[in-house]
Amino acid sequence: MQGQEVQFKDIISHCKEYGFIFPGSEIYDGLGAVYDYGPLGVELKNRIKSYWYEWMTRTHEDIVGIDTAIFMHPEVWKASGHVDAFNDPLIDNKDSKKRYRADVLIEDQIEKYLEKANKEVAKAAKRFGDNFDEKLYRETNPRVLGYFDKAEALRKRFAEAAGENDMTALKRIIEDEGIVCPVSGSRNWTEVRQFNLMFSTQLGSIAGDAGELYLRPETAQGIFVNFLNVAKSNRMKVPFGIAQVGKAFRNEIVARQFIFRMREFEQMEMQFFVRPGEELKWYEFWKNRRMKWHQSLGLGDDNYRFHDHDKLAHYANAAADIEFKFPFGFKELEGIHSRTDFDLKQHEAHSGKKLQYFDPESQEKYVPYVIETSIGLDRMFLAIISNALREETLPDDSKRTVMRIPFFLAPVQIAIFPLIKKDGLPEMAREVQSLLRYDFACQYDEKDAVGRRYRRQDAIGTPFCVTIDHESLEAGTVTVRNRDTMEQIRLPLDALSNYFGERLSMSRGWKSID
Ligand code: GAP
């Protein structure tokens, strides 16, 4: 019983209704692309964080954690290239006064051509029925080929212009394609300009430009500048990694698709320092290992794919995204980058401090190369909830809304119900709660009929419901209902801890990776 996936807008309203995610500053009509996590959201988010951080630091003895400050010396962002090159190309529509990312307008246009091609294919599939050879049709039908050619030509032209940072060429593409403003419908565009994505603020004690600080746009630089501190204080030997979870800030122009693209978000990044020359071996290693981590969540292997970058950033010698099938299509969830020695060398040059490592094995000094794995915590959250939420039709034709969140990540792990509110059942239910609450996230509920309580727990993804009935008083047993199968079994009280421990522990997922 897999059930039907629900629409994206229903996921957003479900998140609000059940206290996973609220629009930021909602009573003031919200603040664009800023969201608050509610009581269930923060639980799920913390568990995702643990599933990543503890896996990194516990199951890899060569990885340690760190928690660096959001504010960093302003020179850090010059060294990293963010001051000069962390820009989006912007264009304004003079009639609607709306601002857009030029690259997004062009990508949407490419998408439109592809959609048109797919519509042609779908129409033909309907017309020809069982005899339809989709592959052949895609390869030979002139209209379909025409749309694919247009998409490909535009993609190429766009890649060239973007690669050259040529703002005039981007504007020309928008004009040539006749792209209109979705709000005003007009083609009355400004020039395309570069817009830096970093938020800046002032240090209180220094007046003027010297006091200008940035909110970090990635957590990685906190790791780079502490590379030697960590290596020395923890006697780390290359190859080793440093893992960090923390907030990052980007003044995104087109912030849309709920928590997919936010202005304040969290990253989970790991920099793995390796010997020069060994980076591509480690790049392959981390690419595959991160994919296995994703697969251990059970969201469906088909929902992931790699996207290898053809065009590499100036500091990288290999890069790939792990893409996930979100409700709006396959999109980047995580980046794996072989960043060479670019960052450490830049920090050496800008700080005047050596960031070399002495390798006791080779007796050489060198600046290590770095493999980075970088995933957005909020994006991972979105991947999980969008995959989890389903409308199911049960054998008796009734419906239920269920969130099939991986058991070990669920915000409430065990719900505890007395069957009715009398006869000593609530008291015994409270005892069961006391027994379990130190090891598991439990929720007590005695309101409404038990069937409705099951539905409420299904809707928030609780893996197990424990019901205390009259037999419990006599036999010391309870019923345990499984969210996914809806099967119920009876267990004695003293078996509960082990039963749940085996099924709710994160180690279950981690072990499947090794
Ligand atoms: N240190 C490398 C780095 O920051 P990135 O591709 O810019 O690389 C890494 O970001 C990940 O951070 C992305 O794959 C995505 O999951 C997440 N991310 C980036 N921008 C985001 C945003 N505006 N909102 C939510 N998540 C974002």
Side-chain angles (χ1 to χ4, degrees):
M1 190 168 33
Q2 279 306 300
Q4 284 214 318
E5 282 176 27
V6 297
Q7 291 193 348
F8 192 39
K9 66 176 178 22
D10 299 327
I11 295 170
I12 299 172
S13 53
H14 191 88
C15 279
K16 182 168 174 219
E17 187 182 346
Y18 287 91
F20 283 89
I21 297 174
F22 308 125
S25 314
E26 194 188 7
I27 58 167
Y28 292 96
D29 294 333
L31 181 66
V34 177
Y35 291 90
D36 297 332
Y37 284 80
L40 295 184
V42 69
E43 292 293 326
L44 174 56
K45 193 176 177 198
N46 283 340
R47 276 186 223 284
I48 300 171
K49 214 184 276 188
S50 300
Y51 192 65
W52 182 90
Y53 182 80
E54 286 166 23
W55 176 73
M56 279 288 182
T57 54
R58 283 193 202 172
T59 72
H60 305 94
E61 60 182 69
D62 49 5
I63 297 180
V64 288
I66 199 169
D67 182 13
T68 68
I70 285 172
F71 291 130
M72 300 188 73
H73 194 286
E75 197 63 26
V76 166
W77 306 110
K78 287 194 186 136
S80 66
H82 284 83
V83 171
D84 289 332
F86 195 52
N87 299 318
D88 273 347
L90 284 195
I91 189 164
D92 294 358
N93 183 269
K94 291 182 197 163
D95 298 321
S96 68
K97 310 271 183 272
K98 287 270 174 201
R99 179 165 287 177
Y100 300 92
R101 263 174 61 177
D103 54 334
V104 172
L105 287 178
I106 298 170
E107 277 166 4
D108 285 351
Q109 182 75 359
I110 297 174
E111 211 45 52
K112 271 187 197 151
Y113 288 133
L114 295 176
E115 266 170 32
K116 281 185 180 166
N118 287 332
K119 266 195 191 146
E120 289 290 333
V121 176
K123 266 199 292 188
K126 235 183 183 173
R127 212 168 47 237
F128 294 114
D130 288 346
N131 296 330
F132 184 55
D133 183 339
E134 183 176 328
K135 188 165 175 285
L136 187 70
Y137 196 80
R138 281 180 183 277
E139 285 167 4
T140 54
N141 179 274
R143 262 215 295 268
V144 173
L145 286 176
Y147 287 131
F148 280 138
D149 286 349
K150 276 190 176 167
E152 184 51 26
L154 181 52
R155 197 192 61 74
K156 262 198 184 143
R157 198 175 159 201
F158 167 56
E160 262 166 41
E164 299 289 317
N165 268 331
D166 186 341
M167 300 301 118
T168 317
L170 287 179
K171 168 86 188 284
R172 215 171 301 125
I173 296 176
I174 290 173
E175 283 169 348
D176 292 351
E177 289 289 327
I179 295 174
V180 297
C181 164
V183 176
S184 68
S186 87
R187 297 176 193 178
N188 196 5
W189 296 110
T190 62
E191 295 309 305
V192 179
R193 286 161 297 126
Q194 294 278 26
F195 176 86
N196 193 286
L197 293 183
M198 284 196 294
F199 282 103
S200 63
T201 183
Q202 287 285 324
L203 200 63
S205 57
I206 305 173
D209 284 353
E212 186 168 39
L213 285 187
Y214 297 105
L215 297 187
R216 66 178 177 199
E218 62 171 11
T219 60
Q221 298 303 325
I223 293 180
F224 289 124
V225 300
N226 278 291
F227 153 72
L228 269 191
N229 279 339
V230 172
K232 284 184 185 159
S233 60
N234 285 263
R235 296 181 295 117
M236 304 305 288
K237 291 207 173 67
V238 168
F240 75 90
I242 306 177
Q244 163 155 247
V245 182
K247 289 259 181 179
F249 303 83
R250 295 183 188 179
N251 199 356
E252 301 280 1
I253 300 311
V254 182
R256 57 180 184 183
Q257 289 156 331
F258 195 31
I259 56 169
F260 181 81
R261 196 176 299 287
M262 299 159 87
R263 299 206 162 98
E264 173 181 345
F265 58 100
E266 270 184 272
Q267 287 187 316
M268 306 192 285
E269 298 201 293
M270 194 280 292
Q271 320 298 131
F272 200 72
F273 299 89
V274 304
R275 288 194 189 112
E278 292 189 357
E279 70 277 10
L280 292 180
K281 176 184 91 181
W282 283 109
Y283 168 73
E284 286 305 324
F285 173 86
W286 279 108
K287 222 177 121 179
N288 291 322
R289 197 147 172 82
R290 288 300 302 143
M291 184 59 105
K292 281 193 181 158
W293 180 90
H294 283 285
Q295 289 168 344
S296 74
L297 291 166
L299 307 189
D301 295 0
D302 291 348
N303 289 324
Y304 293 94
R305 70 181 187 198
F306 284 118
H307 169 240
D308 293 308
H309 291 199
D310 310 323
K311 193 176 174 318
L312 296 170
H314 57 287
Y315 53 78
N317 63 2
D321 296 335
I322 294 179
E323 294 186 338
F324 183 77
K325 197 170 174 198
F326 288 98
F328 36 84
F330 271 100
K331 291 275 178 256
E332 174 186 343
L333 171 58
E334 170 159 6
I336 320 286
H337 313 123
S338 173
R339 290 182 76 128
T340 67
D341 56 359
F342 173 83
D343 301 87
L344 291 180
K345 283 252 171 84
Q346 283 290 101
H347 287 307
E348 277 197 327
H350 282 252
S351 68
K353 308 270 167 23
K354 286 251 171 282
L355 291 176
Q356 288 185 334
Y357 169 80
F358 175 73
D359 194 322
E361 257 178 53
S362 64
Q363 297 282 307
E364 278 173 326
K365 263 190 180 172
Y366 54 78
V367 174
Y369 274 46
V370 175
I371 307 303
E372 160 181 85
T373 74
S374 175
I375 175 171
L377 174 53
D378 312 85
R379 254 182 222 185
M380 192 65 233
F381 188 109
L382 182 59
I384 289 168
I385 51 167
S386 58
N387 182 273
L389 188 61
R390 271 136 219 269
E391 289 295 338
E392 287 181 354
T393 307
L394 304 179
D396 65 357
D397 266 354
S398 64
K399 299 237 189 272
R400 73 163 179 164
T401 301
V402 59
M403 285 190 103
R404 287 174 174 260
I405 298 172
F407 276 16
F408 49 76
L409 297 182
V412 176
Q413 297 178 297
I414 305 169
I416 299 165
F417 309 151
L419 183 64
I420 50 171
K421 258 197 283 184
K422 55 183 184 180
D423 301 340
L425 300 185
E427 289 76 8
M428 185 171 173
R430 289 289 188 192
E431 277 171 35
V432 174
Q433 184 184 13
S434 309
L435 185 78
L436 298 172
R437 71 194 310 173
Y438 298 105
D439 295 315
F440 308 100
C442 297
Q443 192 174 82
Y444 177 87
D445 189 5
E446 58 178 23
K447 199 166 171 283
D448 299 324
V450 79
R452 290 187 66 175
R453 284 180 261 167
Y454 284 148
R455 291 289 170 275
R456 274 204 291 271
Q457 296 298 330
D458 287 343
I460 61 170
T462 306
F464 294 108
C465 296
V466 171
T467 305
I468 287 82
D469 54 17
H470 292 92
E471 198 180 325
S472 308
L473 295 176
E474 285 153 30
T477 59
V478 295
T479 63
V480 175
R481 172 190 181 267
N482 180 307
R483 177 195 73 198
D484 292 349
T485 62
M486 293 194 293
E487 276 165 11
Q488 298 186 22
I489 55 170
R490 273 205 101 81
L491 286 178
L493 287 190
D494 59 8
L496 292 180
S497 280
N498 274 350
Y499 181 83
F500 292 131
E502 273 173 27
R503 286 159 183 81
L504 294 172
S505 159
M506 291 190 185
S507 62
R508 214 181 157 94
W510 294 330
K511 282 178 188 163
S512 73
I513 302 172
D514 290 320

